Every structure is written in structure tokens, then in C-alpha cells.
Amino acid sequence: MNDLPEQVVTTPAADELMGRLSNKHGELMFHQSGGCCDGSSPMCYPRGEFLVGDGDVLLATLGETPFYMSGSQFEYWKHTQLILDVVPGRGGMFSLENGEGVRFLIRSRVFTDVEIGALRAAGRI
């Protein structure tokens, strides 16, 4: 179905930071675990350096960058579009933006009933 809403989108600031980080570190990936502390922020890793588990859900590919979320976290957020943004601050201890003076942040909006219906019909939620 071509009218599926994107489950993860990026802001221009996130696109710019992803570009800088990929120039430094190569291919990237994101994981959102929903844990406490650093785990509640989207974590950016060099692709292949974080082992994705069987319970993780691939929500999107942002350009060439996969964005995963733990299955338990996805159950809470599946009716919500995630917006990957950047704000001033310190990145997660293990996330690649640590030391850049900014950090990735998730903003969100609830999907409309029509969007939820389309995602359900496609087996995405």
C-alpha cells in the first residue's frame, strides 16, 4: 500500500547530524529500547555494532539507516509516529552523538484513525 504513513520521520537537524556521524563512523543504525536513563533515548551506533534481537522491530529505514525499537516498547508506541530530532545536550553514553554537544530526541504524534487503519491493513501494527 503506497499510502502508509511513515512510522519514523526525521527533522532537518537530525538529517544533518546523521550525515556528520556517518562521515565520521560509516554506516549507522538506531535502536530505541525504552529502558531507563540512556535507554529511553534513541541510540545511534555504527551499523553492526549493536546486536538486534528477535524481539526488535524494524520501524523504518531513514535514508540508508535502519531504525529499530524493542518489541515491548513498540507495543506502547505503535499508534504513534516517531519524529527523530536533535536538541542541545549530551548524547547517551554509548550513542555516537555523545561529545557533539547535541543529542537525538524522539518527539511524537498520534496517528489518525485512517492512518492506524492503513497500518493495520498492511500488518505493520
Side-chain angles (χ1 to χ4, degrees):
M1 177 176 212
N2 292 347
D3 294 334
L4 279 179
E6 295 177 85
Q7 289 174 283
V8 183
V9 297
T10 57
T11 64
D15 290 335
E16 189 275 329
L17 182 55
M18 288 169 56
R20 275 193 293 151
L21 293 174
S22 67
N23 285 339
K24 286 183 182 179
H25 303 283
E27 294 180 317
L28 307 174
M29 66 172 289
F30 282 93
H31 189 271
Q32 176 91 31
S33 71
C36 69
C37 307
D38 285 350
S40 59
S41 296
M43 302 293 282
C44 183
Y45 301 101
R47 185 143 353 134
E49 288 197 20
F50 179 87
L51 296 178
V52 178
D54 291 339
D56 290 322
V57 177
L58 175 62
L59 288 181
T61 302
L62 308 170
E64 305 265 328
T65 304
F67 188 104
Y68 294 90
M69 179 179 273
S70 69
S72 59
Q73 182 76 353
F74 178 66
E75 284 304 308
Y76 291 108
W77 289 89
K78 66 185 177 185
H79 298 99
T80 307
Q81 183 178 62
L82 304 179
I83 304 156
L84 182 65
D85 200 0
V86 173
V87 295
R90 183 187 304 174
M93 179 185 279
F94 301 109
S95 194
L96 290 177
E97 81 275 15
N98 191 6
E100 296 286 325
V102 293
R103 66 182 180 91
F104 287 108
L105 174 82
I106 291 293
R107 300 181 191 280
S108 64
R109 75 165 182 91
V110 176
F111 287 122
T112 67
D113 290 341
V114 171
E115 290 171 322
I116 290 171
L119 288 165
R120 281 193 179 130
R124 294 290 301 162
I125 63 170

